[in-house]
Amino acid sequence: MNKQSLLSNFYIALEAVLANQLRSLLTALGIIFGVAAVIAMLAIGNGAQKEILEQIELVGVNNIIVQPVVEQTEQRIGSTDENDKKKFSPGLKLLDVESIRENIPGIARLSPEILLETYIIKNGIRRSAKLVGVEPSYFQVANFELDAGEVFNEKQLRVGAPVAIIGKGIQSKFFPQENPIGKMIKVGSQWLEVIGILKERFISEQAISNLGIRDYNMDVYAPIQTVLVRYINRDLVTGSGLKKSFGGVSMMGMGRGMNISIAGAAEPAEDAAPKNYHQIDRLVVQVSESGKLSSTAEVLSRMLERRHFGVIDYEITIPELLLKQQQRTQNIFNIVLAAIAAISLLVGGIGIMNIMLASVMERIKEIGLRLSIGAKSTDIVSQFLFEAVLISVTGGIIGVILGIALAFGVSSLADFPTEISFASIAISFGVAATVGLIFGITPARRAASQDPITSLRHE
C-alpha cells in the first residue's frame, strides 16, 4: 500500500468520524475518562511522593529523635505511702548527650536543642518568636544551608557568646532594607549579634502537622551554652526547687551554725501542671548507617532508662522509618489507582470495538461499493483502523486536558500537592492510541471480510 493510498484512506476515515461527531464522542468517553484518571491519579501520587521526600529531608537522614516527656503520676488522694512517691529522674540533659557520644558506636552526629518561647523587639516592633539553642552540628543534621554569614565557632559555643543566626522570615520582618549581618537584635531580655542568615525553607501545613515541626524561617538560633547561661537552665537547683524538694524545709543559713526550720508544710496544689525539669527539649541522634537505626534506638533507650533511674520520661522516634512506611503505603495506593485507571482504558477500548462493529453493520453498503469498484481488503482494514485510532487519539487529547484540569483542581480546592509529569501524559496518551489500534483490528477485519455482492444486496 503506497503513501497516496494511505492518505486517501485516512481522509475517508476522518470524514466518517466528522460525519458522526456525537457517536464518535460517546465512543471516546471511556478513553477520555481513562486517560484523565491516569493523569490525575499519577499527579496526586507523584505529589504525595514528593511531599514524603521533602519530609524526609526536613527531619534529616538516618535520624533518631529523643524528646523528653513529663512523666504522668498517679496516687490515691491523701495517700502518703512510699510506693506512691514518684521516682527521681534528672531528666534529659547535656550529660546524657556526652554519655551517648562516648559509649554508643556508629553515631555520626548529635544535636541537642533547647526551645524557648520568647519575643523579638526591634524598631518598635515586638513579635513572638522561638529561640533555639543548638550546637553547630544542628545545621548539618537538619540539612540547613546558610544564605549569608557563618555558623557558630567553638569559642562562641564554649563561652556562650551573645550571637545568633536568624531565619529568612526574621530577616524579612525586621531587616527588610538592610543587611542584618553584624547588627544587634533583642531576643527576650538579651541583645544578640546576628552572624548568619539561613536560606528559606518551604514547609507545607501537612508536613508541620505530621512531623510536629515548626516554621524554621521564623526562628532565632543561638549557641546552646548562650541559652543556658543567659536565658534558662532547668538543670540548676533554685531556691524554689529546694523548697519543693524538701517539702517545706527551709535553709536559714549555711555553715556550722546553720538553722533548719520546718515550716507548716502547705499542701501542693493537686491540679498543678507537671513541671518541665529537662535541661534540653530535643535530641537528634544521627546514625552513620541506615541499617543500624533500630538497634541504635534500642541501645539508646536502655542507656537513658539506666541513667534516668528507671523513669521513662523520654520518647524515642525514628521518623525516616515512619515516612518510609508511609511511602510504601502510598506506593500500594498508587498501584491500585493505576489499576483502576487501566481498567477504565480497557473499558474504553471495548466500547470502541463495540461501536465499530455496529458501524460495520450499518455501513455494509458503503463497504460493498468500495470493494466493487476496486478497493482492496487492506484499504478497508486501514480505513476502519484509522477511524478507531482517530477516535482514541481524540479521546486521549481531551482526556489529557481533563486530567490536567482535575490535577490542578485537586491541588487548589483540596489543598493537596499534585505534580504532573510528562511521562504520565506520554504513557496515558500512548496507551490510548494503542487501545484504539488493538480494539479496532477486529472491526476492521470484519469489514474487510464482507462480500461485495452480498453487501450490495443490503441496499
Side-chain angles (χ1 to χ4, degrees):
M1 187 181 297
N2 56 33
K3 183 178 179 181
Q4 184 177 1
S5 179
L6 280 175
L7 286 175
S8 176
N9 291 328
F10 175 77
Y11 288 135
I12 293 172
L14 181 61
E15 289 177 359
V17 171
L18 293 177
N20 299 278
Q21 295 181 14
L22 181 59
R23 185 175 67 180
S24 300
L25 178 61
L26 294 176
T27 305
L29 281 180
I31 298 294
I32 292 173
F33 291 129
V35 171
V38 169
I39 293 176
M41 296 305 179
L42 289 179
I44 293 172
N46 291 338
Q49 292 281 9
K50 182 180 179 182
E51 187 175 34
I52 290 172
L53 293 176
E54 289 176 352
Q55 290 176 0
I56 292 176
E57 184 180 354
L58 286 175
V59 300
V61 181
N62 298 348
N63 287 350
I64 300 172
I65 297 178
V66 183
Q67 290 181 301
V69 295
V70 179
E71 188 187 23
Q72 301 297 315
T73 60
E74 178 180 350
Q75 68 178 30
R76 295 182 181 277
I77 298 176
S79 174
T80 58
D81 191 354
E82 291 291 332
N83 295 328
D84 289 336
K85 291 184 179 179
K86 177 184 174 183
K87 295 179 181 179
F88 169 77
S89 171
L92 196 63
K93 53 199 301 185
L94 288 178
L95 290 178
D96 292 328
V97 179
E98 294 304 319
S99 180
I100 293 169
R101 182 177 284 118
E102 294 173 2
N103 296 294
I104 299 183
I107 301 296
R109 296 183 183 90
L110 288 169
S111 175
E113 305 170 28
I114 298 176
L115 185 62
L116 180 62
E117 296 283 350
T118 183
Y119 56 87
I120 297 175
I121 298 178
K122 188 177 186 298
N123 298 331
I125 299 175
R126 172 173 171 151
R127 180 186 175 90
S128 60
K130 290 180 175 63
L131 175 65
V132 188
V134 297
E135 294 182 354
S137 59
Y138 169 85
F139 302 101
Q140 295 174 301
V141 170
N143 296 316
F144 278 119
E145 296 182 14
L146 285 178
D147 189 43
E150 58 185 8
V151 182
F152 317 124
N153 55 42
E154 291 297 327
K155 180 180 179 181
Q156 292 169 337
L157 183 66
R158 185 177 66 254
V159 303
V163 294
I165 295 174
I166 62 175
K168 202 68 176 177
I170 298 293
Q171 179 191 14
S172 302
K173 184 69 178 178
F174 294 97
F175 301 93
Q177 304 294 333
E178 58 181 325
N179 183 6
I181 302 297
K183 303 293 193 304
M184 303 298 292
I185 185 171
K186 190 173 184 181
V187 182
S189 60
Q190 303 291 325
W191 286 92
L192 303 179
E193 180 186 357
V194 178
I195 64 169
I197 308 167
L198 293 177
K199 287 185 178 180
E200 187 172 8
R201 298 192 76 168
F202 298 96
I203 307 173
S204 66
E205 294 182 2
Q206 186 175 2
I208 293 174
S209 174
N210 291 345
L211 301 178
I213 57 180
R214 58 189 181 275
D215 185 2
Y216 299 110
N217 300 309
M218 295 302 297
D219 288 348
V220 177
Y221 302 88
I224 194 167
Q225 290 295 338
T226 301
V227 176
L228 291 174
V229 172
R230 300 175 183 271
Y231 289 92
I232 183 173
N233 186 352
R234 289 184 289 265
D235 192 45
L236 294 179
V237 179
T238 62
S240 59
L242 280 172
K243 184 174 181 180
K244 180 178 180 181
S245 299
F246 286 96
V249 178
S250 174
M251 302 295 186
M252 302 302 295
M254 297 296 292
R256 183 177 300 177
M258 178 172 58
N259 296 320
I260 301 178
S261 64
I262 302 179
E267 290 293 332
E270 294 182 357
D271 296 334
K275 184 178 180 181
N276 183 11
Y277 52 85
H278 299 273
Q279 186 183 35
I280 61 178
D281 296 305
R282 192 170 183 256
L283 172 62
V284 180
V285 181
Q286 189 173 72
V287 182
S288 56
E289 299 179 21
S290 299
K292 296 181 179 179
L293 276 170
S294 299
S295 58
T296 303
E298 185 177 354
V299 173
L300 184 61
S301 178
R302 292 178 180 177
M303 171 182 283
L304 290 177
E305 183 178 358
R306 186 177 65 252
R307 290 184 57 85
H308 292 201
F309 305 105
V311 179
I312 309 299
D313 54 354
Y314 54 86
E315 182 180 43
I316 298 178
T317 57
I318 307 177
E320 185 178 5
L321 296 184
L322 297 177
L323 290 172
K324 284 184 177 179
Q325 179 61 41
Q326 183 180 351
Q327 191 172 22
R328 284 193 291 269
T329 304
Q330 184 63 45
N331 287 336
I332 295 173
F333 181 66
N334 289 344
I335 292 173
V336 173
L337 293 180
I340 294 173
I343 292 173
S344 300
L345 285 174
L346 179 63
V347 172
I350 295 173
I352 289 177
M353 185 172 65
N354 288 336
I355 299 299
M356 292 299 296
L357 286 172
S359 178
V360 169
M361 300 304 297
E362 292 177 2
R363 296 159 62 186
I364 288 179
K365 174 186 173 182
E366 174 192 339
I367 296 169
L369 183 61
R370 292 197 66 202
L371 290 172
S372 65
I373 61 175
K376 299 178 181 179
S377 297
T378 54
D379 294 323
I380 303 299
V381 170
S382 62
Q383 175 190 342
F384 278 85
L385 277 180
F386 277 137
E387 286 188 34
V389 171
L390 277 172
I391 291 174
S392 60
V393 167
T394 304
I397 294 173
I398 299 175
V400 167
I401 297 172
L402 181 60
I404 294 174
L406 285 174
F408 279 110
V410 169
S411 179
S412 59
L413 297 178
D415 194 22
F416 190 88
T418 58
E419 184 177 0
I420 301 171
S421 64
F422 176 77
S424 65
I425 296 176
I427 291 172
S428 58
F429 188 79
V431 169
T434 304
V435 164
L437 183 63
I438 293 174
F439 285 92
I441 290 176
T442 299
R445 286 180 176 176
R446 175 72 63 83
S449 64
Q450 298 295 317
D451 180 60
I453 298 176
T454 306
S455 300
L456 289 173
R457 286 177 181 173
H458 283 79
E459 184 179 357

